[in-house]
Amino acid sequence: MNKNMKLVIIGGVAGGATSAARARRLNEFADIVMFERGEDISFANCGLPYYLGKVIPARDYLLVSDAEEFWDRYRIQVKTRCEVTAIDRAKKEVVVTNLNTGESFREPYDKLILSPGAEPTTPPISGIDLPSIYRVRTIPDIDRIKTYVDQHKPKHAVVVGGGFIGLEMAENLVHRGVQTTIIEMMNQVMAPLDFDMSSILLGHLESKNVTCLLNTRVEGFSEVNGQTKVRLSDHSEIACDMVILSIGVRPEVKLAQKAGLALGMKGGIKVNSTMQTSDPDIYAVGDVVEILDRITQRHMLLPLAGPANKQARIAADNVMGRRAVYKGAIGTSIVKVFDLTVANTGLNEKILKEMDIPYLVNMTHQASNATYYPGSQLMSIKLIFSPGTGNILGAQLVGIKGVDKRIDVLATAIRGGLTVFDLEELELAYAPPYSSAKDPVNTAGFVASNILKSDISIVTWKDFLEIDRCTHTIIDVREKEELQKFGMIPGADHIPLADIRSHIEKLDKNQYYIIYCAIGLRAYIACRILTQHGFKCRSLSGGYLTYSSVMQALSKSQ
C-alpha cells in the first residue's frame, strides 16, 4: 500500500463514488480527489422516473451522499461543478474547469479512475433541441420535467423509445394523469426480451391506455401554436405537449479518446480484467467501458448500476495494490411496468441467432405461489438452454408477483454453471404464500429436461406459424367453456384431455399432431398418451396463452 498515493477520480454516481469510498477503506492515508461536473456526486438515477410520478415523494430521497458527507466520513475531497477537460498522461495531470467561475487548473495524480458514464443518444433530427423535448439522466433533468408537469398539467406526452427508462417514464406520466404514446422503431418494446415475451408486456401497456406505435421512426419535431408536433416515418404527425427522449445511451469517451486511450470494438473504453485501460496508471469503470460477456466471451456495453458498482470496487482494489479481477457479466436486469415485473438474464434468441449458437427454448406459465392461497398470480418464464448439455443460456420472466426472486435464482444458476437438470433438483423455499412445492423455476427445469430426454417434443409459436396444415392436425385439449371464453386457434380440432384415449382409434398415425391447451400442462399429458400409442405429436410451447399474446402483438407490429 502506497500511503503517499494521489488518486483522482473523474465522475461520481455508481462508479466514481463507489470506487472513492472503497479506495479510502483500503488506504486511510492516500490523497483522494473526485471531480463531478454536476451538482450531485451520488444520486439514485434509477429512481428519477418515480420521483416524477410522486412514488418517491421527496427530491432528497434521491440523494445518496453529498460532498460534505464524503469529507466527514472518508476525508475525500469532492469538487462538484468541476469538469475535467483533458488528461495529460505525460505529466500525469488532469485539466479541470470550474463551471461556476470559468477558471481552469491542473490537478496531479498517481492513479486515475474514469467514471464519466454514458450520455443519452441524440440523433440528428430536426427540432430536437426544442424546449418541450426532455432527456432523463440527472436530477436537474428530472427537475425540469417535474416542474413542467406540476405547473402546466400537460394532457399528452410522447415517449420516444420503449426501453427501460422509456417505459418507466411512460408509467409515471400516466400516474400523473398524462395521456402517453410510446414510439418505438423496433417491432417490440423492451429490446432485451424476445418478441413472444415482449408481447405480454405490450398487451399490458395497452390495457393501461398507453398507445404503442411500433416499427415507427421519428423524422422531426416542430412547434405549432404552442404544441409540439412529432413527425413520423409514415408521414403522419402527433400533437403533444411534451416529448421524453429515451432512445438509448452511448459511452462518454471523448475525454479518453482525447487522451489517446484505446477503445474497444463497441465504442467503449477498452479495459482488462483489473479494469485497467491501455495506460497502466488509468482505470475505467461503469457505463463507459466494454466488459466481457461471461457466456459468449465477447465484449459488450452494459449500462447497469450493479455491474458498475462491482467494477468500481475492483478498480479501487487494484489501484491500492490488492489484486482483484472482474470476470464479466451476464446482463441481469429487471423493470417494473405498471402491474408487471419484467426481468431477463443471459442471452436472448436474437443474440444466439446472430452468433450462430445452437439453442432450445421452453415457455412455462405457472402461479407465483400456491393457488389455494389468496393472491397467486400467473408468471411466464422463457428458458433458453443448450441442446444436449442443458447449459442455461438465458431466461426471461414476466409476471406480477415473485419475478424478482426467480430471475435471481436463474441468474445465479447461470453464474454457477448449473444446467436445466440442476433446476429440477434445486431446493427452494416453499410456503403457500411464497411458492409451490414445485417452484416455477423447478417446473421450467422439468419441462426443459423432458425436452432433452425426448419425453416431449415441442413446437414454438414461430415454427407453428409455418407448419403445413395438410400434414399436421391441431388439437385443442381444453374444456369447451375455455374455448367459448378465450377463443381457439383457427382450424384446430377440439378433443378435451379426458377424451383423448377414447379418440385414439379415430386418429391417423400418418398425420403429425400439434397439441395445445391453455399453458402447456394438459398438452404435455396428451402428448405422452399419444406418443406411447405410436402417434407423432408435439406440444405447442406456452399453449394458447403464448399464441394469443403473440398474435395480438403481430397484428400491431406489422
Side-chain angles (χ1 to χ4, degrees):
M1 179 176 67
N2 181 0
K3 293 185 177 182
N4 299 316
M5 176 185 295
K6 174 68 173 289
L7 170 62
V8 170
I9 299 168
I10 301 175
V13 198
T18 298
S19 62
R22 175 66 173 173
R24 172 58 75 219
R25 291 194 295 272
L26 295 178
N27 188 337
E28 173 64 18
F29 308 101
D31 183 5
I32 303 174
V33 181
M34 181 164 61
F35 294 105
E36 168 57 51
R37 68 184 171 195
E39 297 176 357
D40 305 299
I41 59 160
S42 185
F43 64 93
N45 50 2
C46 296
L48 298 180
Y50 302 104
Y51 174 54
L52 167 66
K54 296 186 176 180
V55 178
I56 295 174
R59 185 182 189 274
D60 287 350
Y61 290 4
L62 297 172
L63 301 174
V64 178
S65 187
D66 58 22
E68 184 178 356
E69 182 179 353
F70 252 68
W71 177 256
D72 291 343
R73 179 174 293 185
Y74 299 113
R75 288 299 186 267
I76 292 173
Q77 298 179 62
V78 176
K79 300 183 179 182
T80 58
R81 297 286 295 158
C82 286
E83 181 174 10
V84 176
T85 57
I87 301 169
D88 188 334
R89 292 168 55 194
K91 294 183 179 180
K92 297 186 74 171
E93 294 176 339
V94 295
V95 180
V96 187
T97 298
N98 185 318
L99 298 178
N100 292 326
T101 66
E103 63 178 328
S104 293
F105 60 93
R106 285 176 168 259
E107 187 84 23
Y109 67 85
D110 295 312
K111 299 289 184 181
L112 183 65
I113 296 178
L114 303 179
S115 181
E119 58 186 346
T121 302
T122 305
I125 299 174
S126 63
I128 201 165
D129 293 322
L130 287 172
S132 58
I133 297 175
Y134 301 91
R135 297 160 183 82
V136 187
R137 185 193 181 196
T138 64
I139 290 182
D141 289 338
I142 206 68
D143 283 340
R144 286 188 286 271
I145 296 170
K146 188 172 183 296
T147 298
Y148 178 79
V149 173
D150 289 346
Q151 294 180 355
H152 297 278
K153 305 291 189 294
K155 294 180 180 179
H156 185 201
V158 166
V159 175
V160 183
F164 290 93
I165 297 297
L167 295 180
E168 289 172 340
M169 288 298 291
E171 174 185 349
N172 284 283
L173 283 165
V174 170
H175 286 336
R176 296 298 305 274
V178 183
Q179 179 188 347
T180 303
T181 298
I182 295 174
I183 300 173
E184 172 56 58
M185 60 183 286
M186 295 176 60
N187 68 343
Q188 65 171 80
V189 293
M190 194 57 69
L193 298 183
D194 288 318
F195 186 85
D196 41 19
M197 296 298 281
S198 175
S199 68
I200 304 171
L201 179 56
L202 179 66
H204 186 66
L205 284 166
E206 295 189 335
S207 76
K208 299 297 182 179
N209 297 317
V210 176
T211 301
C212 297
L213 302 180
L214 306 176
N215 285 325
T216 304
R217 291 176 179 270
V218 173
E219 300 288 347
F221 303 99
S222 59
E223 194 170 295
V224 180
N225 298 326
Q227 278 200 312
T228 301
K229 294 291 183 72
V230 185
R231 189 171 68 255
L232 306 179
S233 51
D234 63 1
H235 307 298
S236 65
E237 283 188 338
I238 297 177
C240 65
D241 302 304
M242 63 185 300
V243 175
I244 306 293
L245 281 185
S246 178
I247 47 182
V249 295
R250 60 186 178 190
E252 199 163 309
V253 296
K254 294 173 192 168
L255 189 62
Q257 275 184 305
K258 197 170 159 184
L261 298 179
L263 302 184
M265 291 188 296
K266 300 291 185 180
I269 297 175
K270 188 175 183 179
V271 294
N272 63 19
S273 60
T274 67
M275 307 311 298
Q276 189 180 53
T277 70
S278 54
D279 184 317
D281 293 318
I282 302 178
Y283 293 73
V285 301
D287 299 355
V288 76
V289 301
E290 288 188 14
I291 60 171
L292 200 65
D293 182 321
R294 285 179 64 94
I295 302 173
T296 65
Q297 297 300 299
R298 72 173 184 172
H299 286 87
M300 64 176 177
L301 298 169
L302 190 65
L304 295 174
N309 273 279
K310 296 169 183 65
Q311 295 158 24
R313 286 176 57 88
I314 287 168
D317 279 10
N318 285 289
V319 162
M320 293 303 169
R322 179 180 291 187
R323 173 76 175 176
V325 171
Y326 185 66
K327 298 176 182 177
I330 58 175
T332 305
S333 63
I334 191 166
V335 63
K336 175 186 176 296
V337 184
F338 293 98
D339 303 327
L340 286 183
T341 301
V342 180
N344 73 284
T345 187
L347 307 177
N348 58 32
E349 287 195 70
K350 293 186 284 279
I351 294 173
L352 289 163
K353 287 178 180 175
E354 176 190 322
M355 299 190 67
D356 199 26
I357 297 174
Y359 67 92
L360 294 170
V361 304
N362 72 267
M363 188 86 72
T364 54
H365 307 284
Q366 194 173 348
S368 57
N369 55 279
T371 54
Y372 60 81
Y373 187 90
S376 70
Q377 299 285 348
L378 202 62
M379 177 190 308
S380 301
I381 299 181
K382 180 172 185 176
L383 191 63
I384 308 176
F385 52 99
S386 296
T389 64
N391 290 330
I392 305 166
L393 300 173
Q396 300 163 37
L397 281 76
V398 178
I400 295 175
K401 287 177 60 179
V403 168
D404 52 343
K405 169 184 173 179
R406 276 64 180 218
I407 198 66
D408 285 343
V409 170
L410 290 164
T412 303
I414 293 175
R415 177 87 178 193
L418 303 187
T419 70
V420 298
F421 304 110
D422 294 310
L423 296 185
E424 293 184 281
E425 301 176 10
L426 282 184
E427 183 180 348
L428 302 173
Y430 160 60
Y434 305 107
S435 183
S436 299
K438 291 183 285 190
D439 188 85
V441 171
N442 296 132
T443 299
F446 294 149
V447 176
S449 299
N450 285 340
I451 293 169
L452 293 176
K453 295 170 185 174
S454 299
D455 287 341
I456 185 71
S457 178
I458 66 162
V459 58
T460 65
W461 68 268
K462 284 182 185 176
D463 294 333
F464 178 79
L465 295 180
E466 298 178 359
I467 63 170
D468 184 350
R469 293 295 185 97
C470 295
T471 58
H472 289 74
T473 298
I474 305 164
I475 299 178
D476 187 325
V477 296
R478 295 175 297 165
E479 297 301 314
K480 184 178 180 180
E481 295 76 14
E482 294 174 83
L483 275 59
Q484 294 170 342
K485 184 175 180 180
F486 300 110
M488 63 187 298
I489 296 175
D493 294 335
H494 178 225
I495 306 175
L497 175 60
D499 298 336
I500 281 289
R501 290 182 179 87
S502 63
H503 279 73
I504 283 178
E505 298 300 325
K506 303 172 187 177
L507 300 178
D508 183 357
K509 289 188 176 179
N510 293 316
Q511 278 279 310
Y512 290 90
Y513 290 95
I514 306 294
I515 316 295
Y516 76 92
C517 61
I519 60 175
L521 176 59
R522 286 172 288 178
Y524 166 61
I525 296 169
C527 276
R528 288 303 301 155
I529 294 169
L530 293 176
T531 299
Q532 292 178 76
H533 281 84
F535 292 94
K536 296 169 287 190
C537 69
R538 291 186 288 172
S539 169
L540 178 60
S541 184
Y544 189 73
L545 179 57
T546 295
Y547 171 84
S548 58
S549 175
V550 166
M551 294 307 292
Q552 289 178 31
L554 283 173
S555 69
K556 296 178 175 69
S557 63
Q558 300 297 332

